[in-house]
Amino acid sequence: MIIRCRTRSVVVALAVAALTVAGSVSVTTRTTAQAAAGVLAAAAVEDEGADCAVSGLPDLASLPTNAKLPDPFRKLNGQTITSTSDWRCRRAEIRELAEKFVYGDKPAKPATVTGTVSNSNISVNVSHNGRSSSFSARVELPSGTGPFPAVVVVGGFGADTATIKATGAAVISYDPLAVGREGTPRNNKQGAFYSIYGSSSSTGLLAAWGWGVSRIIDVIAQSGNGILKADAMGVTGCSRYGKGAFAIGVFDQRIALTMPIESGSAGVPIFRGIPGEGAQSLSSAYGEQPWLGDAFGSFTGSPNRLPVDTHEMVAMVAPRGLFIMDNPHIANLGPRSASVAALGGAEVYRALGAGDNITYWSDVQDGSHCANRPEWRGPLQNNIRKFLLKTGNEPGVIRISSKALGRLADWRDWPTPVLSGGPTTPPPTTPPPTTPPPTTPPPTTPPPSGGGCAATVSINQWAGGFVATVRVTAGSAPVNGWTTTMTLPSGTGITSVWGASRSGDTGTVRFTNVAYNGSIAPGQSTEFGYQGTGTAGSLTPTCSAG
């Protein structure tokens, strides 16, 4: 067992009232105690529960099948925690389960970590057990005088960096592939992490990427916080890098604000819900890249045997700031399962008295993947001010689109206890009725005038890469199977695809439906997408049915 040392004793006490609004749930209350004490959410160390003695971890062969989400309050010995102080070591148990069965081990700080911080760059040098590696990250400072809080942007796209900097936080552009490279087999993983711990390490890329950000925070802390503040760090990223941002925030308690965007399978959505939602399958996510640890391969077809699920990873972030951004328009991303994860984790936030510190927002109009959405701009600013600048105190809001509204009641058979040291009354089990806010229906793609199908594409381009979201719409007759064809510009290539099968990676590529999205009712649509390298330019897809 890895021993991790850290200390912390403060848990913020808040009261929460939940409100359900026609496809949304809102967390809207705060206490005078919080206003007086300020927001004390991030820890001073990477892992507060390092000194907790964790025993009784189950073996793979002994795991029972349970379609319900595991009880986050129930310890491995079968007892339910009774106080907020019990959460520290209960969290340590969840961490050990998550590492053993989902992510692989995320090692503690190596023997030697050195580096430099400048106005434009962070360098990291690591040595451990006779091995060494190094990597760097780019820094963009906001206007004003430092030291500044900072948000690590994983992968360099999908995040609203303009708003982050305008609100007063620096942006650290982190290339996770330098630490854990995609496109490698599980028995020959590459990157700075695997240079230290071995190419055959069973640790997946997401935990490796998290290890890299933890070393960046080490360097910032050792630099004396003259330019950036190690105690005011956030992390964000979209799509595969949203998976990474989530894991980074889960495993390093020095991250004050975690902001995954449209993370999809292997990110926020509960594993148990993915098969029934039509999201990217667990076997596909496990096989596409070694994101998850090697041990997770035993659960791709049987997630109900997992002794842990992502609502408990959400809970591991508590009481720190968490802002989950999701897309209800692309079923492949598992937004309904993500909302269940957020609602389940929010029960722990509430029990700890920190229900004000979590925001989940999928009530957005734009359907394209990894777009900057105006609905998120205000909550983004509020969260940065509250958790990084410590100048705000806006309450968290859980706002779930009616297009992808999950029901926690369908997934749990455990109560939320009233913990000593937390709120004096339990959270309401039935939210009070409210008048739904006015909404504008999302834009739709006009169906083709006759039979067959039509396809449209939207592009999210960044330097050196892009994401394409393709909408396939049936005409006046139902479609049972479809093929979309498009020609990629010279110099571009496809690195991954979701919601479709493809014939190649360059030139003229044919995309065909997968099992769950081949049948489209008249006038209705489905979507698939892919990530590519290079500049997409203008793409013109064609569609044929049958």
Side-chain angles (χ1 to χ4, degrees), residues 100 111 114 221 244 299 308 316 328 442 480 534:
K100 180 175 181 178
T114 62
F299 302 97
V308 68
M316 284 178 65
N480 293 301

Side-chain angles (χ1 to χ4, degrees), residues 8 38 45 50 69 77 85 109 183 192-193 213 224 240 258 264 286 292 339 437 450 458 485:
R8 181 170 176 264
V45 290
L69 294 175
N77 65 7
S85 60
K109 183 179 179 180
F193 175 89
V213 171
R240 67 213 314 115
T258 302
Y286 180 78
L292 297 169
S339 73
S458 60
T485 304

